[in-house]
């Protein structure tokens, strides 16, 4: 094991691994990643591999959007599949307060780079035919880039 490094990253979850990836892409080679067990054995294992872009914080949104860009390009860059699946995400509103939240979110979505859009109850039915009826569905917030 190395006795010193120019940069030491503690935690091999999605953030720590992403930081180390960015440093390597920038040409830094004298680095070390320390993880208590195996990669992603901490809280990252609870994330289920889903990258949702529904946030209102500019910094978090930038991190998420950059992560999506990285995952989309990794297979082409490395020749190895990382299992990226661009499935999108649909958040269904059944209560007026939730629908109002999604309406409010749409004011900031373009500024944070989210390609979100609001869809009707009928569009929810088209995208998710498991719903038997649009009754009670006010609409939904659709994020096509989530994966």
């Amino acid at each position: 094991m190395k006795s010193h490094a120019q940069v030491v990253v503690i935690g091999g979850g999605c953030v720590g691994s992403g930081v180390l990836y960015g440093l390597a892409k920038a040409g830094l080679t004298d680095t070390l990643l320390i993880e208590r067990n195996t990669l992603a054995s901490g809280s990252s294992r609870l994330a289920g591999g889903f990258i949702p872009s529904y946030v209102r914080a500019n910094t978090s949104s930038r991190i998420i959007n950059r992560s999506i860009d990285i995952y989309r390009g990794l297979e082409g860059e490395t020749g190895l599949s990382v299992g990226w699946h661009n499935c999108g995400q649909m958040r269904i509103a059944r209560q007026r307060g939730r629908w109002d939240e999604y309406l409010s979110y749409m004011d900031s979505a373009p500024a944070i780079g989210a390609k979100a859009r609001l869809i009707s109850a009928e569009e929810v039915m088209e995208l998710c035919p498991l719903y038997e009826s649009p009754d009670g569905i006010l609409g939904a917030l659709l994020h096509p880039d989530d994966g």
Side-chain angles (χ1 to χ4, degrees), residues 52 74 120:
L74 271 176
S120 68

Side-chain angles (χ1 to χ4, degrees), residues 68-100:
I68 290 171
D69 290 343
I70 289 170
Y71 280 117
R72 281 185 173 152
L74 271 176
E75 186 169 352
E77 182 180 327
T78 67
L80 302 171
S81 173
V82 294
W84 174 256
H85 179 69
N86 196 170
C87 59
Q89 176 186 192
M90 181 171 48
R91 293 180 183 233
I92 297 171
R94 292 181 169 276
Q95 299 164 345
R96 188 71 210 173
R98 185 66 71 195
W99 184 246
D100 289 344

Side-chain angles (χ1 to χ4, degrees), residues 1-74:
M1 182 152 122
K2 294 174 77 169
S3 61
H4 69 280
Q6 187 177 1
V7 174
V8 176
V9 176
I10 299 173
C14 57
V15 173
S17 297
V19 167
L20 194 63
Y21 172 83
L23 293 172
K25 290 288 286 184
L28 198 58
T29 59
D30 188 14
T31 61
L32 178 65
L33 180 108
I34 298 175
E35 175 58 79
R36 68 178 174 176
N37 195 354
T38 59
L39 285 180
S41 65
S43 60
S44 292
R45 69 180 164 78
L46 304 173
F50 183 61
I51 298 180
S53 56
Y54 177 71
V55 295
R56 290 180 179 255
N58 187 36
T59 302
S60 296
S61 295
R62 289 177 54 212
I63 290 170
I64 290 166
N65 289 332
R66 179 67 180 124
S67 296
I68 290 171
D69 290 343
I70 289 170
Y71 280 117
R72 281 185 173 152
L74 271 176

Side-chain angles (χ1 to χ4, degrees), residues 78-139:
T78 67
L80 302 171
S81 173
V82 294
W84 174 256
H85 179 69
N86 196 170
C87 59
Q89 176 186 192
M90 181 171 48
R91 293 180 183 233
I92 297 171
R94 292 181 169 276
Q95 299 164 345
R96 188 71 210 173
R98 185 66 71 195
W99 184 246
D100 289 344
E101 174 189 339
Y102 297 160
L103 287 170
S104 171
Y105 172 76
M106 290 305 298
D107 290 337
S108 61
I112 60 174
K115 295 177 187 140
R117 66 184 179 97
L118 297 174
I119 61 173
S120 68
E122 290 73 26
E123 289 173 292
V124 169
M125 299 293 295
E126 290 173 23
L127 292 171
C128 189
L130 294 174
Y131 280 100
E132 295 178 4
S133 165
D135 295 344
I137 298 174
L138 300 175

